[in-house]
Every structure is written in structure tokens, then in C-alpha cells.
Amino acid sequence: MSKVIVIGTGTMGVGIAAGFLAFGANTILLGRDLEKAKLSLSKVEECADSINPAWRESGAQLIAGTIADWSDWENTDLIIETISERLELKKAMFSELDQRVPPSIPIGSNSSGFPISDIAQGLPTSYRMFNTHYFMPTHIVPLVEVVLGATSDPQMAEQICSLYRAHGKKPVLVKRDIPGFLANRIQHALMREALSLVQEGIASPDDVDTAVRYSFGFRYAAVGPMTQKEISGWEGMALAAEVIYPSLSNINAPPACVMDLVSTGKTGMSKGAGFREWSPEEAREMKQVYEIRLKAAFEVLKIAPELN
């Protein structure tokens, strides 16, 4: 049975812990405060129940502890840090783990903004340190990016990928820690064009959503963009690209339609408004719909075997 330690009791830490617990791993959740860590266990179990209600039959244990006092590193397969997104805090945490954790145990950071090369810079055991980047909601979205830093051990990264596969995730190995890693770079390329189309008055935010969900986004639940073009043929794509590429947005900062929202505090559902107004009831309902659709999409991804 696998053993995984998650450091941090926030939303990301809870979801990551639930993902491992749901697939039968002994899971330890460490926080700064023991009582807060213990209170988070029910949230972990709730998320695990939503993924795999039968996880309790596996005999997997869920334990809370404090970062300062934990010492049971024996037989640990992976440690994942999910503390606040502040570089100085992450560097301090990794420096501490570098000294306290046996050097054979891999350590990952869920940071989306800071490359592991910066977090682990100068540490004696930086070879066993990686970005292990999740996507919210972490207990549902299958992807985890395992990112190599300048000194990370590729063989150890492959072992981490195998661990994730054994626990229901779909890892990808990113061989260099460039800004945004892999998925966020692709996502931001799409968002840059989508926001530019809204800024120029060519389409509404709702029409952008509809265009993505019911065309190529719909297809991507079946196969990714590379395989989809293998199916349809690259010659058509190449011809279209010659016409489309020169007119695509190449702005290097978010357009005014977004920055105006940010400057006025209209940053989305949590503030009651973004591109549209959201009542608390509408926001709650949309989040429920979102999670239901994600779970349904995850079931679609299981249909038909993957071809190697």
C-alpha cells in the first residue's frame, strides 16, 4: 500500500489528499496547526467519497499531523507541498524538508507560478525535487504535471508518474520548467485569443464559451489536439494556419476588457460579478453544474482503451 504525505490543509491540499485516499493510499495531511489539520480530514473523506465510495474497503488510513512534529517518513512514496504561493515560504519549506526527509523520498511542489529550479535552488538533494502541478478541483481533474527542474532526476520523475497512474491520475512529464509548464501555456494561448475577440467586439463571452464547448472542446474529451489532427489530416490545418496565424493575437498583457474588471473588483463569482453579474444562488448552482459535468466528462474519458 502506498504512503503519501501532503503538506498544507487548504483547498488544494485537501483535494490532493482525497485523490490518493480514494485509490487506497495511506494519506497523511500535515498543517501548521494540528486542530485545523484534524478538521480538514472530514473534507478529505467527503471528496474521496465523491470519487470512489468504496475506498474505505481498501483499509487506507487518513492521518493528520503538524509539519513541525512529523517524523514518520519511513516507506513514504511521495511528499507534496501545497502551502501558500509565496516563493520565500516554499524555499524555506523545501530547505527544511531537504534536511529532515531521507534523500530517497521524492518531494513535489504544487506551485503553478514558481519553477522547482527556483524553489530548490542550491539544496543538496534538489535532484529529488519536482513540480507536481494539479488543476482545480484537484480531486476530480485527472491531470498532474510532473515537471523537471534543472537538477531533477528524470528516472525518479518516471517513478512519480507511475505512482500517479496507480492512483487514478493522468500524469504528463514536462522536461523543462518553462513558465506555465505545459497545460497552462496551451490554456493561456487560447485565452489570449478568446479575450482579444471579446475586446475587439467580434464575439461575446457567452459565444466564446459556446464555440469552444461545442466544437473543438467537445472533440478534445475524446482525443487531444495532436491526435485529432492525425485523424483529420495535417494538410488542412497547415493550409488554414497560413491564413489564420498572421491575424492571431500576439498581445503580451491581458486586454482592457479583463483589466477593467480586475481594477473594479469584478473578478468573478466570489465577488458577485465578472463579465456578468452572479447572485449567490446562481454562483452556487453554476459551481454544482460545473462539478457534475466534470465528473461526467471523467467517465467519458474512461470509455474505450487508450492506444499506446
Side-chain angles (χ1 to χ4, degrees):
M1 183 175 289
S2 301
K3 176 182 174 183
V4 175
I5 297 175
V6 179
I7 298 176
T9 57
T11 301
M12 298 297 286
V14 165
I16 290 170
F20 279 104
L21 183 67
F23 284 86
N26 287 328
T27 306
I28 296 93
L29 187 67
L30 302 182
R32 297 288 185 186
D33 178 82
L34 182 58
E35 289 308 310
K36 182 180 178 182
K38 287 181 177 179
L39 288 173
S40 297
L41 296 187
S42 60
K43 299 177 184 177
V44 174
E45 291 181 339
E46 183 180 348
C47 289
D49 286 338
S50 72
I51 306 168
N52 178 25
W55 69 265
R56 298 172 195 273
E57 300 171 10
S58 70
Q61 293 184 314
L62 176 62
I63 301 169
T66 63
I67 300 166
D69 296 331
W70 190 261
S71 60
D72 182 13
W73 311 110
E74 186 177 359
N75 297 321
T76 299
D77 294 283
L78 178 63
I79 298 170
I80 306 170
E81 167 273 313
T82 71
I83 64 174
S84 299
E85 194 74 356
R86 292 167 54 190
L87 181 58
E88 65 272 19
L89 290 180
K90 291 183 182 293
K91 291 183 72 170
M93 176 58 65
F94 270 73
S95 179
E96 181 179 342
L97 295 173
D98 177 72
Q99 298 296 316
R100 293 174 57 191
V101 178
S104 61
I105 298 172
I107 305 172
S109 173
N110 182 53
S111 177
S112 61
F114 303 118
I116 197 64
S117 294
D118 291 348
I119 296 171
Q121 185 177 17
L123 296 180
T125 66
S126 61
Y127 62 85
R128 48 83 172 259
M129 298 174 180
F130 309 84
N131 282 100
T132 48
H133 180 230
Y134 285 73
F135 294 80
M136 292 185 69
T138 53
H139 64 295
I140 297 175
V141 179
L143 184 70
V144 182
E145 296 176 315
V146 179
V147 188
L148 299 176
T151 58
S152 302
D153 180 355
Q155 185 174 354
M156 191 172 281
E158 293 286 1
Q159 293 171 359
I160 295 173
C161 288
S162 295
L163 178 72
Y164 276 122
R165 292 187 193 100
H167 292 84
K169 289 298 187 182
K170 285 288 185 180
V172 292
L173 182 61
V174 184
K175 299 175 183 177
R176 186 155 51 95
D177 57 358
I178 58 176
F181 311 143
L182 176 58
N184 270 337
R185 290 182 71 89
I186 298 169
Q187 180 175 238
H188 275 272
L190 183 151
M191 284 303 302
R192 178 166 66 176
E193 184 61 30
L195 291 171
S196 295
L197 292 168
V198 172
Q199 176 69 33
E200 297 300 321
I202 294 168
S204 69
D206 283 345
D207 283 341
V208 168
D209 279 352
T210 299
V212 172
R213 288 185 62 211
Y214 292 97
S215 62
F216 60 86
F218 179 75
R219 297 190 307 212
Y220 290 169
V223 295
M226 305 300 286
T227 300
Q228 196 279 320
K229 290 307 176 192
E230 291 285 324
I231 293 170
S232 65
W234 287 100
E235 65 276 14
M237 178 271 172
L239 289 170
E242 292 180 1
V243 177
I244 296 171
Y245 278 18
S247 67
L248 290 176
S249 174
N250 64 356
I251 56 175
N252 56 18
C257 64
V258 172
M259 297 313 298
D260 289 347
L261 292 176
V262 172
S263 66
T264 56
K266 296 180 178 180
T267 54
M269 288 183 182
S270 65
K271 301 298 184 182
F275 278 104
R276 57 157 286 184
E277 303 290 323
W278 294 95
S279 70
E281 294 76 17
E282 288 172 327
R284 184 167 53 251
E285 183 179 355
M286 187 69 254
K287 289 177 181 178
Q288 290 173 346
V289 168
Y290 178 54
E291 187 159 320
I292 290 169
R293 287 174 178 168
L294 283 177
K295 290 178 179 177
F298 184 58
E299 293 304 313
V300 169
L301 292 173
K302 297 177 183 178
I303 296 173
E306 297 283 353
L307 301 179
N308 295 323

